[in-house]
Amino acid sequence: TKFKIAGYQLHQRLALLFSAVCLMPSLIISTFSIITLNTALDGWFNNKISTAVSQSVEVANKYLTEHKNTMKGKILDFANQLNVNAIKFSSNKEKINDFLNFYVKKNNLTDAVLIDSSRNVLAHSKYSFEINYYDLSDKFYNIAGNGKIALINDKDTNKLKAFMKLNQFVDAYLLVSRFVDEKVLSAI
């Protein structure tokens, strides 16, 4: 029985040693994985990164707000110049088209269009690619009809559009647009 006990103890020791040898690499790999994953997740949700992301959204909003304010100023100046020269322009479509081209180029706009309440194009700048304006909502006509500026944020074309009624024309609305960075629009 002494040999059986000695053999039994040897067997137990070998089993423990074998288990320890097998478990050691798994424990090392598990520990390393946990530390690596924890470090990576801490990096993703770090306060600095969270702050940077929230501030980038804030910057994008401010950028768009600045563009809207600029567009309001541009369309007010543009409408004022058109209204002052309404009599001169009303009889000559070529003159008004030339003026629209000049103003668009001078003020870094994409395009400018004069349309009536039936959505007919009265005059347009050189690079006005839209053929009709039937998709303009009546809401914008109502806003412009009340003497306000309607701002349209068009994500399909990456343009910011401004729309207002021209007071010195019988039935005319001015629509101007400017490209806005696609990344800014998608960040908002």
Side-chain angles (χ1 to χ4, degrees):
T1 60
K2 255 184 166 178
F3 291 109
K4 284 186 177 179
I5 292 172
Y8 178 73
Q9 286 177 346
L10 179 63
H11 179 60
Q12 239 183 351
R13 286 181 185 164
L14 284 175
L16 278 172
L17 183 64
F18 183 71
S19 297
V21 167
C22 287
L23 286 176
M24 197 56 71
S26 330
L27 289 174
I28 291 171
I29 289 173
S30 299
T31 305
F32 180 73
S33 298
I34 289 171
I35 291 170
T36 304
L37 188 62
N38 188 33
T39 305
L41 288 176
D42 281 347
W44 283 352
F45 299 108
N46 189 336
N47 275 345
K48 287 181 182 178
I49 291 174
S50 297
T51 302
V53 168
S54 65
Q55 286 179 348
S56 68
V57 170
E58 188 178 326
V59 166
N61 280 324
K62 287 185 179 186
Y63 174 81
L64 190 59
T65 301
E66 182 182 335
H67 264 286
K68 286 180 178 180
N69 290 336
T70 301
M71 285 294 285
K72 282 181 182 179
K74 298 277 186 204
I75 197 168
L76 283 171
D77 180 52
F78 203 174
N80 183 45
Q81 290 185 33
L82 286 168
N83 283 327
V84 166
N85 295 305
I87 295 171
K88 182 169 68 171
F89 288 146
S90 63
S91 61
N92 193 339
K93 188 174 179 179
E94 191 175 312
K95 266 187 185 179
I96 198 165
N97 283 342
D98 289 343
F99 180 74
L100 292 176
N101 287 329
F102 168 75
Y103 196 88
V104 164
K105 189 175 181 180
K106 176 184 163 204
N107 290 287
N108 196 24
L109 297 170
T110 308
D111 56 14
V113 179
L114 288 181
I115 54 178
D116 63 13
S117 56
S118 300
R119 291 159 174 84
N120 296 316
V121 175
L122 304 173
H124 59 86
S125 62
K126 187 175 182 179
Y127 297 109
S128 298
F129 293 115
E130 295 181 45
I131 296 169
N132 65 46
Y133 293 89
Y134 293 112
D135 58 340
L136 270 176
S137 170
D138 288 334
K139 177 179 87 171
F140 300 122
Y141 279 93
N142 291 337
I143 292 170
N146 291 329
K148 296 180 181 173
I149 299 169
L151 291 172
I152 307 158
N153 197 9
D154 191 352
K155 291 184 180 181
D156 294 334
T157 60
N158 298 324
K159 286 183 181 179
L160 179 64
K161 298 178 180 180
F163 186 69
M164 88 178 280
K165 184 166 180 28
L166 296 173
N167 297 328
Q168 297 299 317
F169 287 79
V170 176
D171 179 26
Y173 295 83
L174 175 62
L175 176 69
V176 296
S177 63
R178 168 187 269 175
F179 282 116
V180 178
D181 190 355
E182 169 184 3
K183 293 176 186 173
V184 171
L185 292 177
S186 64
I188 298 174

